[in-house]
Amino acid sequence: MTTTHPEAEAPLASIVPAVMLLVAGLSTASLSGALLKLMSSELNIAMMTAGRYTGYLLVLMPLALWKYGGQVFAPPQWSAQFARAVLILGATLTFVYAVMFLPLANVVSLLYIYPFLVAALSPWVLGERGGPAVWFGVAGGFAGVLIVMRPDLGALNAGTWAALATGVFYALHIMLTRKVANAAPALVSNTFMALVALALILPFAISWWQPVTARQALILLVMGAVNAGAHLLLSNAFKRASAPALAPVTYAGLVAATVWGLLFFADVPDGVTVTGMVLIAGSGIMVAQSSKIGRAIARRRGASAGG
């Protein structure tokens, strides 16, 4: 008698639409990052972040209210949901700061430290342990990050540290999301998360207010709407196929960031950076394919796409 693992690979016919949705979601998420970098020389961090979450809520709030009503404002496990929002706000602010100093592809490469941090911390935080392949993947991922950084501690700029901080915030966010995964639908959790993040950053945006042109306002709103669209695409991708099946494709985000960086800013990664990016992606795939920790990381990417 043959048993089928619940997360066994799905038929190709069902995988292809999921892969297309995932690549579209990763590409649009990277586009949102490129727009952030584009605006970073024009507006302060608080205003950019507030504008991003405003655009995000304009897209998702009506849908969340229509489907779930008042639960959006008071989801189960409220304190944990609030903490998730604080962490994703920290990730957003450090990401915005990082792209002021570094090419978009470098920032995205460095923030991809988060799968390895989750794998390293999960035995203590989530009680989930990985096998030898996971730890080889973690070591390889950190090596890739070091290659991208090329650490001369006297020369590392604030953007490098901010990009790494983004990865740390997001790793903590992922683990907390895992703890509350069954408390509320992803749409409720992410809409609440954006509401809290906007409420927290809005006083700073008002205090540091600067004149906004119609073009800037439009870009801010589009940026948030694009991020909301990325959330919907990623969530639908992970509904159609298992996390292990999609894990290798999640690193298309690195490729997308490189493409947007080239188109918007003429940033061409050198050979050393590309080598580090390939090592990060390959190691991440090893982690994602090798244990339930990795599968949880990949699955939570779909549920946590609202950042």
Side-chain angles (χ1 to χ4, degrees):
M1 181 177 178
T2 303
T3 57
T4 303
H5 193 281
E7 287 190 322
E9 244 184 73
L12 181 62
S14 63
I15 288 288
V16 171
V19 168
M20 293 175 66
L21 285 167
L22 184 61
V23 171
L26 292 167
S27 299
T28 51
S30 295
L31 174 58
S32 178
L35 292 173
L36 274 174
K37 182 172 175 63
L38 185 68
M39 298 300 294
S40 65
S41 62
E42 301 182 26
L43 296 172
N44 64 58
I45 292 176
M47 292 192 65
M48 281 192 290
T49 304
R52 187 187 197 202
Y53 282 116
T54 298
Y56 182 90
L57 287 169
L58 285 175
V59 174
L60 285 195
M61 178 67 90
L63 180 60
L65 288 174
W66 174 62
K67 290 191 71 174
Y68 301 108
Q71 188 180 358
V72 169
F73 303 102
Q77 298 190 28
W78 189 93
S79 59
Q81 299 279 12
F82 185 89
R84 286 181 69 244
V86 172
L87 289 169
I88 205 66
L89 177 60
T92 302
L93 292 173
T94 51
F95 180 88
V96 175
Y97 190 76
V99 295
M100 292 180 178
F101 297 93
L102 297 176
L104 180 63
N106 290 49
V107 175
V108 173
S109 298
L110 293 173
L111 73 83
Y112 263 94
I113 195 175
Y114 77 84
F116 312 112
L117 289 175
V118 173
L121 294 175
S122 284
W124 294 275
V125 178
L126 299 175
E128 297 175 346
R129 298 184 181 277
V134 171
W135 296 109
F136 277 118
V138 169
F142 279 117
V145 168
L146 290 174
I147 289 172
V148 175
M149 287 174 63
R150 280 170 259 188
D152 172 359
L153 293 180
L156 291 180
N157 64 37
T160 302
W161 297 114
L164 292 173
T166 303
V168 173
F169 279 124
Y170 199 60
L172 296 172
H173 169 79
I174 286 279
M175 287 187 284
L176 193 53
T177 297
R178 179 125 167 82
K179 282 185 172 291
V180 301
N182 298 319
L187 184 58
V188 169
S189 295
N190 283 291
T191 303
F192 177 78
M193 180 180 70
L195 279 169
V196 172
L198 179 60
L200 291 175
I201 198 62
L202 200 55
F204 296 96
I206 293 171
S207 298
W208 300 334
W209 183 264
Q210 60 188 104
V212 179
T213 66
R215 168 187 159 276
Q216 290 170 336
L218 179 61
I219 291 175
L220 289 174
L221 293 178
V222 168
M223 182 197 312
V226 164
N227 203 43
H231 158 78
L232 295 174
L233 289 166
L234 291 168
S235 295
N236 277 285
F238 281 95
K239 286 178 184 176
R240 290 171 179 262
S242 70
L246 293 178
V249 189
T250 58
Y251 287 86
L254 291 173
V255 178
T258 302
V259 171
W260 292 125
L262 181 62
L263 291 176
F264 278 83
F265 314 107
D267 290 332
V268 182
D270 59 24
V272 176
T273 299
V274 171
T275 299
M277 291 166 67
V278 170
L279 185 54
I280 290 168
S283 301
I285 291 167
M286 181 185 294
V287 170
Q289 298 280 34
S290 297
S291 75
K292 63 180 180 179
I293 296 173
R295 291 192 287 272
I297 295 167
R299 190 179 298 110
R300 286 301 95 207
R301 282 178 187 149
S304 304

